[in-house]
Amino acid sequence: MLGRSAIRAAMLAMMLWGAAGSAARAEDGPETVHFAGPGGVQLTGYLFHPRGAPRRTPAIVMMHGRAGPYSSLAEGRYDASTLSQRHQAWGWHWADLGMAALLVDSFGPRGFPSGFPVHSYDERPDAVNEVTVRPLDAYAALAWLRGRADIDGGRVALQGWSNGGSATLATMADVTLRQQGRAPKDGFAGAVAFYPACGLHGAFEAGYKPYAPVRVFSGDADEEVSTKRCAALVQDSRAGGGDIAITIYPEATHDFDDPGRKRQGVAANVAARTDAVPRATDFMMKLLVAR
C-alpha cells in the first residue's frame, strides 16, 4: 500500500498535470544526455530530474510516437527546448512525483528528427522498426539509467505512446527479453502503453505474453490504430496468463492525452485524459514507489 504522503503527492501532481504544470518547469528544462544504442547508434535522451528526491530514485523510460519527441512547431530546431507539450507534461509529472523520466529520441539520431506522417507504416525504414529496433533503444536506456548512482536500477518502468506504445509492448514481450539473454528481474518493472498499434507486424502471432505487468489505454474513436485489435491482443494474452489489461475510452481519439487545444477541444478526450492520467500514475506508483 502507498503511504498517505505519497497518495497526497500523487493527487496534487494529477491536479496540476498538463501544459500549465510543464510551463512552470520550462525554465529548468530536462537534461540532454547521450548513450550507446544498438548497432553503434549514439542515442539522445532528455532526462527530467526530480527535485529534492532521495539519492536513488525510481525512473521511467519514455518512448515517443511516430511524430517523434519534438513539437510540430520546432521549425528545424530539435532539442530540449522544442519537445512536445505531451512529453514535457508527462516528464515533469513523473519528476514531481519523485521519479526520474528519460525520454528517448529514437528517430533524430537515425536521421528522422521530425518523425513520420500519419498512415506511413509501409514507408518507414527498418532502422526505426518498433518491433526489432526500438525495443533495443529501450533496453539501452535501461542500461544507461542503471549505470547512474542517482537511479535505483531495480525500479525502472516503461511508457510509450502510439508507435512508441507498440515499441513498449514489443519490449515487454517475454520472447524479446529472452532474445536479449535477460531474465525478468533484469528487465523493466512494468509498462504503460497509450494507444499503441497492436498488429506488431505479426511478430507475436504465436501469442503475446509480457514478462511484467502492462496496462494499455486506448480510445474507441482512434483514427490511426485499431483499438479492437489491441483489445483482442490483450484478451488473448490474459487467457494465456499475461498480466495485461486495457482501458478503452468511448469516443476518445488518438493522442487523447495531448494537452494541446486541438485534442483537448474534444470532450471525450478531456474525459479520457482525466481518467487515464490518475490510472497510469496509480499503476506506476504502486509498481515503483511502494516496492
Side-chain angles (χ1 to χ4, degrees):
M1 297 294 291
L2 293 177
R4 290 183 179 179
S5 60
I7 293 175
R8 284 196 295 270
M11 291 179 66
L12 177 60
M14 282 182 263
M15 291 171 60
L16 297 175
W17 193 89
S22 62
R25 301 290 295 275
E27 71 278 5
D28 297 332
E31 177 189 1
T32 302
V33 301
H34 302 280
F35 52 94
V41 173
Q42 189 77 355
L43 293 171
T44 299
Y46 301 98
L47 185 61
F48 296 80
H49 292 277
R51 285 178 173 170
R55 183 173 179 270
R56 287 170 57 80
T57 66
I60 296 175
V61 172
M62 305 195 302
M63 305 294 284
H64 62 75
R66 53 100 185 150
Y70 307 103
S71 167
S72 59
L73 303 177
E75 297 183 347
R77 180 176 180 178
Y78 303 111
D79 58 27
S81 70
T82 59
L83 294 176
S84 74
Q85 291 185 63
R86 177 181 58 200
H87 295 120
Q88 290 189 57
W90 277 105
W92 290 128
H93 174 67
W94 297 128
D96 286 340
L97 290 174
M99 293 177 275
L102 176 62
L103 174 63
V104 181
D105 180 1
S106 288
F107 291 172
R110 295 183 169 98
F112 308 98
S114 61
F116 302 91
V118 64
H119 302 314
S120 60
Y121 312 110
D122 296 333
E123 302 166 18
R124 299 171 195 166
D126 289 340
V128 295
N129 187 283
E130 66 270 29
V131 175
T132 60
V133 176
R134 297 198 68 194
L136 304 184
D137 291 356
Y139 283 116
L142 175 62
W144 182 81
L145 285 169
R146 284 180 168 164
R148 292 179 62 97
D150 58 342
I151 301 297
D152 184 343
R155 294 189 294 164
V156 183
L158 184 63
Q159 178 179 24
W161 298 265
S162 192
N163 181 268
S166 300
T168 292
L169 293 179
T171 302
M172 298 303 298
D174 57 355
V175 63
T176 303
L177 189 77
R178 291 198 303 270
Q179 289 172 351
Q180 295 296 304
R182 300 170 183 262
K185 66 180 179 62
D186 301 320
F188 289 95
V192 293
F194 278 72
Y195 33 86
C198 293
L200 298 171
H201 306 291
F204 304 105
E205 290 181 347
Y208 176 82
K209 187 174 182 179
Y211 63 82
V214 174
R215 300 296 179 263
V216 180
F217 300 91
S218 299
D220 69 3
D222 196 305
E223 66 277 29
E224 293 195 29
V225 302
S226 171
T227 300
K228 290 182 179 180
R229 179 173 283 180
C230 283
L233 179 142
V234 170
Q235 181 179 2
D236 291 346
S237 182
R238 288 175 64 85
D243 187 351
I244 185 172
I246 186 170
T247 301
I248 300 175
Y249 297 104
E251 301 181 26
T253 72
H254 203 71
D255 291 328
F256 64 74
D257 64 322
D258 188 315
R261 291 183 180 180
K262 178 180 179 180
R263 292 299 180 180
Q264 295 312 303
V266 178
N269 289 350
V270 175
R273 177 180 139 182
T274 301
D275 184 80
V277 173
R279 282 181 183 268
T281 301
D282 182 63
F283 174 72
M284 288 297 201
M285 293 285 284
K286 289 177 178 176
L287 200 66
L288 300 179
V289 178
R291 289 177 59 175

